[in-house]
Amino acid sequence: TEEHPFNHLIDTLKDGDRKYFNPQKLNDARYNKLPLSIRVLLEAAIRKCDGFYVKEEDVHNILDWSEQQNVAEVPFPPARVLLQDFTGIPAMVDLAAMRDAVTKHGVDPGLVNPVCPTDLIVDHSLQIDLNKCQSQGPPSRPSPARPTPRRGSQCGGERGSCSKGGCSDTPGRPATAVQQIENTPLLCPFHLQPVSEPETALKNQELELIRNKERLQFFKWCSKAFKNVNVVAPDVGAVHQLNLEYLSRVVQESQGFIYPDSVVGTDSHTTMINGLGILGWGVGGIESEAVMLGQPISLTLPQVVGCRLVGSVNILATSIDIVLGITKHLRQAGIAGKFVEFFGPGVSQLSVPDRTTIANMCPEYNATVSFFPVDHVTLKHFKQTSKTGSYFTEEKLELLEAYLKAVKLFRNYEDSSEDPQYSEVIEINLSSMVPHVSGPKRPQDRVAVSSMKEDFQSCLNEKVGFKGFHISKEKQESLVPFLHGGQEYELAHGSVVIAAVISCTNNCNPSVMLTAGLLAKKAVEAGLIVKPYIRTSLAPGSGMVTHYLNTSGVLPYLSQLGFEVIGYGCATCVGNTAPLPETVSEAIKEGDLVACGVLSGNRHFEGRLCDCVRANYLASPPLVVAYAIAGTVSINFEKEPLGVTSEGKEVYLRDVWPTREEVQQIEQDKVISSIFTELRARREKGNTFWDNLECPESVVFPWDPKSTYIRSPSFFNKLVKVQPPQSIENAHALLFLGDKVTTDHISPAGSIARVSAAARYLLSKRLTPREFNSYGARRGNDAVMTRGTFASIKLQNRFIGKPGPKTVHIPSGQTLDVFEAVERYQRDGVPLIILAGKQYGSGNSRDWAAKGPYLLGVRAVIAESFEKMHKNHLVGMGIAPLQFLPGQSADSLELCGKEKFTITLPEDLSPKQILTVKTSSGKTFSVTTLFDSEMDVAFYRHGGLLRYVARTML
C-alpha cells in the first residue's frame, strides 16, 4: 500500500513485471556483512512491516544484527506452514473448535481460516502390520543372480529365492501387477520377468486407509472448508520429502511481488529445506497455528555460527558419516538456539542431497537452522529436475537466479570476499570423517564402526545409564535357542532383531540408498542371506525412492534380503513396528538379552522401537543392511566375515561394499531425472480411496459424540474477560522427574498399552485392542491424549523409584496411574506442578507434551533447564516454565517433592522475572520465569496462545 513504510525499497527486475523489496536500496554497508540467513529475516520484516505485528524498529534491529544479536526480540512471518498429520490433526481440530467458539459469540465461523498458506501431508499414519518375515519359513540356499528360467515356474517363496508372487516366467502370461510403475518394470533378478509392486506395501496401505478412515474424512473436510489449506492424500510421500521435491520454491511469487521462500513446519525434519537455500525450521503445533492465523514467529535475534568446511570428503565416508561428524562438532560447540550457516570451499563438494541430509540433523545439536545459501550446485540440481517437468522451468530458474543475485542471497563459496560476518566460526575438515553409528540409546553417542564390538561390550559392563546395561559377566555369553518357521536359531546379547531403512533422514539422499541397494546386490550375488526372524523393512520417504531403486536395478536385491517396501510414511521411527515374532520376544525375555535394532533414522530412544529391544543404533542405510546380514552388532567388520555362504566361503564387508564412483555413476545416470517424473506421475494418479471418501459439507464441523478419533477440545471454554495472573497456592507435585525428560516420556507417540488409562477409555467405547491404533493417530481426541500424557513405560518418576507411568497421590500416599492421580487432584481442586532436572522437554517437537499437562491441571514446571521449543509450547498453553536459579536444584534445596508449593505471581508479571516459591515445610527459594518477551507474558495471561487468538478474533 502507499502507506507502507518501506515503499521506497520496491524495485523491479529487468523484465519490469516482477516487483520486490530490495534491502540494498537501504544503502547501508551493514547489509553486505549480514549472514545470508539474517538477510532473509530482514527481507520478510521489510515486506511485512505493518506497524503492529512487525514494526520499523524490528527492521532496524535486524539490520543492526551485529549489535542486537541475542538481545532484540524480532518477528518472522514465514511464507508458508507445513503440517504432517500427527501434529496437523490437533491444529486443524483446534481451528474447527475455534469456529465453534466464535459462532457462539455471534461471529461468522467462515472467518476462521489460515492466513498463511498451509500444506498438510497425511504421511504419519502408516503402520507396519505386515512384513516379509511373517509368512516365511527357514531360508533356503540363495539362488544365483541370473539362473536359467524354468518354464512354468512362478516366483514366490522364501528369502533366498524370489518372493514376489506376481512374477511369472511363462511366456504370454502377464504378472499380476496391482500397481506397476510406468515404463520402469521391476525385474525379478532370478527369473528376469516383470513383477508387481510389493504386495506387502499395498496391504499395509490398505490397512492404513481403513484404520484411519475417520481421520481422513476430517482432513478432507478441512481441505474443502478452510481457505489456504492444501491437503496431500496418503501414500504420496513423507512430509519432508514432499517439502523438498514438490512444495519448495526458493523464490515465492504472490500479488505481483517476488520474495524468498521460507517455512515453519511441525515435522522435525523441516530443516532439511535449509539445504536448498530455503530458511525453515520446526515448530510445535501451537506456534504453527498462530502463524496459520497470521501471527509471526517471535524469536530472539539469533547468533549465527559460521561453519567453514575445508578439505576433501573421504572416499569411503557416506553423507551420514559427514552428518554425524558435523553433528558431533557442533554439539560440542554449544550452539543451542543459534543459526548455523555453512561457507568455505568444502561446501562446493557437497551435492544438494548431501546438504539436505546435513541440514536435517540440526535439531540434534540444538541449532535452529543449518542454512546452505544457494550457489551454482543448487542451480545445477534444479536444472536437472527442470527436464522432467518439475516446478523449476527454465524461465523460473532465470527469475530465481536474477532475484537472488539482485538481493545478494546467492553465494560463490570459493570467493572468500563474499564471506559474511558471523558471531563465531567453526572450521571442520571433511577429510576427517569416518563411518560411525550412534547409540545404543541416544543420537549423540557416536561409535566408530571399527570400534563397535568393543563399545557394545563396554555397554554390557557399564552401570545402567545413558549407554550401560549392567549385564553380569556370567550372563554376557548367554545363548538362547528358539524355533522360527520350523528351524532352530540362537539369540545372544547384540543380536539384531529389527533392521529398518525408514522414511526419515537418509532417503532424501539417493547416494546412501543406492549404496545400500548395491551392497544388497553384491551380497545376494555372493550368496549371503538375512535370517528370517529379523524384522526387516524398507519404508521409503516417497515413491520416488522406490522409483530410483527400481530403475537402478537394486530394489529386487533389497527385497531378497527382506528389505521389502512396506509403504510410504513414518513407521519404525515413531514406534509403529508390529510386535516381534513371539518366539523371538520370548527368547529375549528368557535370557534377559540386550537385543538390538538398527535403523537409518534420527530417533532411537530406549524402548521406542519395541519395548523388548533395549539397544538401538542409528546407522546409514548400507550399514543397516550390513548389520542385518551379520545378525549382530557385536562384530568387527575389518577382522570378521559379514557372513558365510552355504559353500562355507567367508565374505567380508569390504568384498561387497560399493565404491563411491559406482554409486555416483548410477545416481547421475538413473536418479535425478527420474525422481521428479515419478513424483509428478504419483501425484497425478491420485488415491482412489481418498478420491471416493465422503466428508461433511458444512462450514462448522459436525462433531460425532461417538467418535474416538476426533473430539472438540475444551481449550475455548469460558472465554471470559482476561484476568490478572493468578498465584498458584498449595500446589502438589504431580511428578518428581530427573534430567533429560523427553517429549516421548511426556506424550508417547507409539502404540497404546493395553493396561493404560487410554486403553481403558477406548475399551469403555467398545473398541478391541486391535482397534486402538496409536497415540499419534488419536491426537485429534483430547480424552485419549490426556490419558496418554506421562504414560511412557520409560518414565522415571522419583516418587516411584522405577520406570513406569505411575505416581504417588500425595494426600493419600497411594501409588496410582498418573491419570488416576490427576482425577483425584481435580476432584479436590488441587493445583499441580512438576519438578524436573536439566533439559526438560528434549526430543521431538510435540504440542501434546504441553497440551496434555495443561488439561491435567499442571500450572507450572520448575526445572533446572528446558529445551527451548518445549518451553515455548508450555508458554503457548498457559503453563509457567520456571527455572531454578543457577547452581540450585531440587536436590540442593533438599526438596522431597511431597511438600505443598505456593508461587506468588504479581499482576505486573514481566519477562525473566524472579519469583518466590514457598513450601509447606518452611523452605523458600527463588525461580526465574522463562518468558522471553511481552508476547509470552500476554499468552500466559490469556491462558495460552489459542485463547489469545480466539479473543483477538472476538
Side-chain angles (χ1 to χ4, degrees):
T1 64
E2 293 182 4
E3 295 78 18
H4 196 290
F6 293 101
N7 268 344
H8 61 288
L9 302 185
I10 294 177
D11 210 340
T12 57
L13 291 177
K14 291 180 180 179
D15 60 11
D17 293 334
R18 272 80 169 210
K19 294 184 290 184
Y20 64 98
F21 285 90
N22 190 351
Q24 292 214 84
K25 294 180 73 174
L26 290 167
N27 297 318
D28 194 312
R30 292 176 294 180
Y31 180 74
N32 293 331
K33 288 296 181 182
L34 290 178
L36 275 70
S37 52
I38 299 299
R39 297 180 198 181
V40 176
L41 296 183
L42 178 64
E43 188 283 335
I46 290 172
R47 178 168 38 86
K48 289 289 189 175
C49 187
D50 60 0
F52 181 63
Y53 286 128
V54 184
K55 302 176 182 178
E56 289 186 59
E57 179 186 2
D58 298 319
V59 173
H60 294 301
N61 282 338
I62 299 174
L63 186 61
D64 194 29
W65 169 81
S66 62
E67 298 297 325
Q68 295 296 324
Q69 58 180 299
N70 226 22
V71 176
E73 193 77 15
V74 298
F76 172 53
R80 54 192 175 91
V81 175
L82 183 70
L83 304 175
Q84 43 93 339
D85 55 314
F86 268 19
T87 48
I89 195 164
M92 300 312 298
V93 165
D94 290 344
L95 290 183
M98 193 180 294
R99 282 194 169 187
D100 288 348
V102 300
T103 300
K104 293 174 183 176
H105 289 79
V107 175
D108 179 7
L111 297 177
V112 178
N113 287 294
V115 175
C116 186
T118 301
D119 296 291
L120 193 158
I121 289 80
V122 184
D123 77 323
H124 271 51
S125 305
L126 182 65
Q127 184 166 311
I128 305 175
D129 294 284
L130 301 170
N131 85 324
K132 200 167 182 180
C133 81
Q134 287 178 309
S135 60
Q136 299 210 318
S140 60
R141 174 181 171 180
S143 302
R146 296 178 181 272
T148 303
R150 298 191 309 275
R151 189 168 302 276
S153 67
Q154 188 166 5
C155 297
E158 308 158 346
R159 289 183 189 167
S161 63
C162 177
S163 62
K164 291 298 171 185
C167 167
S168 170
D169 59 16
T170 304
R173 183 177 173 185
T176 56
V178 181
Q179 189 176 342
Q180 184 76 37
I181 300 177
E182 292 182 5
N183 303 322
T184 53
L186 182 62
L187 296 182
C188 165
F190 308 100
H191 302 92
L192 305 182
Q193 295 294 322
V195 299
S196 66
E197 185 172 335
E199 187 178 2
T200 301
L202 300 179
K203 287 183 177 179
N204 278 320
Q205 291 165 9
E206 181 181 1
L207 289 170
E208 172 194 0
L209 298 174
I210 294 171
R211 179 188 294 117
N212 294 284
K213 180 178 179 181
E214 194 176 329
R215 297 170 65 246
L216 297 178
Q217 286 176 319
F218 175 74
F219 283 137
K220 193 161 186 179
W221 173 81
C222 291
S223 68
K224 294 183 176 182
F226 290 108
K227 300 175 183 177
N228 260 348
V229 173
N230 169 46
V231 178
V232 178
D235 299 322
V236 173
V239 56
H240 45 281
Q241 289 291 128
L242 293 178
N243 194 23
L244 286 172
E245 302 159 13
Y246 175 68
L247 302 173
S248 61
R249 296 292 181 263
V250 184
V251 173
Q252 292 276 6
E253 188 169 1
S254 177
Q255 297 179 329
F257 277 83
I258 53 177
Y259 51 92
D261 190 9
S262 58
V263 61
V264 292
T266 60
D267 184 77
S268 59
H269 305 289
T270 303
T271 51
M272 292 173 95
I273 207 70
N274 298 162
L276 294 179
I278 297 172
L279 190 65
W281 62 86
V283 298
I286 298 169
E287 294 102 324
S288 67
E289 290 175 52
V291 175
M292 289 163 64
L293 293 169
Q295 297 208 23
I297 290 288
S298 179
L299 73 159
T300 303
L301 195 57
Q303 293 179 294
V304 182
V305 176
C307 187
R308 186 170 189 266
L309 301 183
V310 297
S312 300
V313 177
N314 187 303
I315 194 170
L316 295 178
T318 68
S319 60
I320 306 307
D321 301 313
I322 298 171
V323 168
L324 295 177
I326 290 174
T327 297
K328 180 180 179 181
H329 280 285
L330 296 179
R331 183 181 288 278
Q332 292 173 341
I335 55 171
K338 301 177 183 179
F339 280 18
V340 175
E341 187 168 301
F342 290 85
F343 73 110
V347 178
S348 300
Q349 298 179 49
L350 303 179
S351 66
V352 166
D354 287 336
R355 298 177 190 187
T356 55
T357 310
I358 293 168
N360 174 71
M361 291 293 277
C362 88
E364 300 306 322
Y365 42 83
N366 291 324
T368 303
V369 301
S370 290
F371 191 63
F372 288 85
V374 174
D375 70 335
H376 72 280
V377 174
T378 322
L379 287 183
K380 182 180 178 181
H381 170 80
F382 289 138
K383 286 176 182 177
Q384 287 178 306
T385 69
S386 68
K387 300 174 184 177
T388 62
S390 75
Y391 169 83
F392 293 101
T393 62
E394 186 173 339
E395 179 186 357
K396 284 186 169 66
L397 285 174
E398 290 176 359
L399 172 68
L400 181 154
E401 184 175 2
Y403 170 70
L404 293 180
K405 288 182 175 179
V407 294
K408 292 200 170 180
L409 287 174
F410 191 89
R411 273 296 328 243
N412 177 1
Y413 289 109
E414 306 293 334
D415 185 357
S416 60
S417 67
E418 291 186 10
D419 292 349
Q421 173 186 332
Y422 294 109
S423 307
E424 60 178 299
V425 172
I426 298 171
E427 184 169 290
I428 298 177
N429 192 326
L430 295 176
S431 61
S432 66
M433 306 301 174
V434 295
H436 283 78
V437 297
S438 289
K441 300 181 183 181
R442 304 186 304 172
Q444 63 263 42
D445 296 324
R446 299 177 68 230
V447 184
V449 172
S450 58
S451 305
M452 181 65 165
K453 186 172 184 176
E454 294 79 8
D455 188 82
F456 182 75
Q457 184 63 43
S458 69
C459 290
L460 295 181
N461 292 328
E462 289 180 18
K463 292 182 179 180
V464 175
F466 294 136
K467 291 197 69 171
F469 297 102
H470 201 217
I471 304 298
S472 61
K473 292 287 186 182
E474 60 271 16
K475 292 185 178 180
Q476 289 184 14
E477 302 300 323
S478 296
L479 291 175
V480 181
F482 68 98
L483 288 175
H484 179 80
Q487 184 165 325
E488 183 173 289
Y489 300 91
E490 289 182 333
L491 288 181
H493 293 292
S495 290
V496 173
V497 294
I498 295 176
V501 177
I502 59 178
S503 63
C504 56
T505 304
N506 308 307
N507 296 359
C508 70
N509 193 321
S511 65
V512 291
M513 294 298 292
L514 288 172
T515 302
L518 288 171
L519 173 63
K521 180 176 184 293
K522 291 189 174 189
V524 169
E525 291 172 344
L528 299 180
I529 61 172
V530 172
K531 293 180 177 67
Y533 61 80
I534 298 176
R535 186 166 292 286
T536 49
S537 60
L538 169 60
S542 71
M544 73 94 176
V545 182
T546 303
H547 185 72
Y548 68 65
L549 291 175
N550 177 27
T551 56
S552 59
V554 298
L555 189 59
Y557 296 95
L558 284 164
S559 179
Q560 176 66 17
L561 294 179
F563 292 95
E564 189 172 71
V565 176
I566 56 90
Y568 301 95
C570 288
T572 308
C573 54
V574 291
N576 286 353
T577 301
L580 295 174
E582 190 172 340
T583 54
V584 174
S585 58
E586 287 176 352
I588 293 172
K589 293 173 184 176
E590 178 186 339
D592 191 26
L593 299 178
V594 180
C596 298
V598 187
L599 64 153
S600 62
N602 71 343
R603 287 281 188 250
H604 66 331
F605 299 117
E606 185 179 7
R608 184 166 186 169
L609 304 191
C610 181
D611 57 6
C612 63
V613 179
R614 287 190 274 174
N616 298 298
Y617 288 91
L618 304 181
S620 64
L623 284 176
V624 172
V625 175
Y627 280 113
I629 295 171
T632 179
V633 299
S634 185
I635 182 174
N636 185 326
F637 285 131
E638 296 176 5
K639 299 178 180 179
E640 299 174 67
L642 184 66
V644 180
T645 68
S646 57
E647 290 83 13
K649 180 184 177 182
E650 293 183 343
V651 179
Y652 288 80
L653 181 60
R654 58 179 174 268
D655 299 328
V656 294
W657 190 275
T659 66
R660 193 175 182 85
E661 288 75 19
E662 286 179 280
V663 175
Q664 289 178 339
Q665 189 63 48
I666 290 181
E667 185 175 5
Q668 184 176 2
D669 294 345
K670 301 287 186 181
V671 177
I672 299 299
S673 62
S674 64
I675 283 175
F676 293 87
T677 301
E678 194 276 337
L679 176 65
R680 188 178 70 253
R682 193 174 184 90
R683 279 191 49 79
E684 291 174 354
K685 183 177 181 180
N687 182 305
T688 303
F689 184 94
W690 173 266
D691 294 340
N692 295 333
L693 195 63
E694 296 181 355
C695 69
E697 300 290 337
S698 55
V699 177
V700 176
F701 187 71
W703 307 98
D704 181 358
K706 297 180 182 179
S707 173
T708 57
Y709 277 102
I710 310 294
R711 224 174 77 125
S712 181
S714 59
F715 301 133
F716 302 103
N717 293 352
K718 300 179 182 178
L719 280 177
V720 296
K721 185 177 179 180
V722 63
Q723 300 293 321
Q726 301 294 308
S727 295
I728 303 170
E729 298 182 354
N730 295 319
H732 275 304
L734 176 63
L735 299 162
F736 190 5
L737 305 172
D739 296 338
K740 296 184 182 295
V741 174
T742 70
T743 50
D744 270 25
H745 293 120
I746 305 170
S747 180
S751 59
I752 298 172
R754 297 189 181 192
V755 295
S756 64
R760 288 193 291 274
Y761 167 80
L762 294 173
L763 288 171
S764 74
K765 300 295 182 180
R766 299 185 179 181
L767 269 66
T768 66
R770 287 182 60 84
E771 298 171 307
F772 284 178
N773 212 323
S774 65
Y775 281 113
R778 293 192 181 275
R779 284 185 182 180
N781 185 325
D782 61 307
V784 172
M785 296 308 295
T786 305
R787 288 165 171 81
T789 303
F790 298 112
S792 169
I793 60 172
K794 298 297 179 182
L795 182 70
Q796 293 274 4
N797 182 4
R798 293 173 63 176
F799 286 153
I800 303 301
K802 61 181 180 180
K806 302 284 185 179
T807 194
V808 172
H809 178 250
I810 295 172
S812 67
Q814 288 183 275
T815 297
L816 304 170
D817 284 346
V818 173
F819 186 76
E820 290 178 323
V822 165
E823 287 183 308
R824 292 198 186 185
Y825 284 126
Q826 289 184 345
R827 181 189 63 199
D828 298 333
V830 177
L832 298 172
I833 66 167
I834 291 171
L835 297 175
K838 300 179 181 70
Q839 296 183 35
Y840 180 78
S842 58
N844 292 67
S845 162
R846 194 165 294 164
D847 57 338
W848 269 108
K851 288 180 176 179
Y854 171 81
L855 292 177
L856 291 180
V858 174
R859 298 280 305 281
V861 178
I862 305 177
E864 294 178 61
S865 65
F866 292 81
E867 195 278 331
K868 184 177 181 181
M869 186 174 292
H870 182 63
K871 184 267 295 180
N872 292 340
H873 289 183
L874 294 175
V875 173
M877 286 310 303
I879 297 175
L882 306 177
Q883 184 169 296
F884 289 109
L885 296 185
Q888 293 187 351
S889 65
D891 289 336
S892 70
L893 294 168
E894 298 182 347
L895 301 176
C896 71
K898 296 184 178 180
E899 305 92 340
K900 291 182 180 179
F901 297 83
T902 296
I903 307 169
T904 303
L905 299 175
E907 289 191 12
D908 58 345
L909 188 63
S910 60
K912 304 294 185 182
Q913 191 168 356
I914 302 295
L915 303 180
T916 298
V917 181
K918 296 179 180 179
T919 70
S920 57
S921 65
K923 289 188 175 70
T924 299
F925 60 95
S926 297
V927 293
T928 304
T929 60
L930 294 189
F931 301 128
D932 291 332
S933 64
E934 292 296 339
M935 184 65 77
D936 279 357
V937 175
F939 291 160
Y940 180 73
R941 288 169 62 91
H942 280 263
L945 183 149
L946 294 174
R947 296 169 69 84
Y948 173 86
V949 172
R951 285 198 181 99
T952 301
M953 295 197 69
L954 295 179

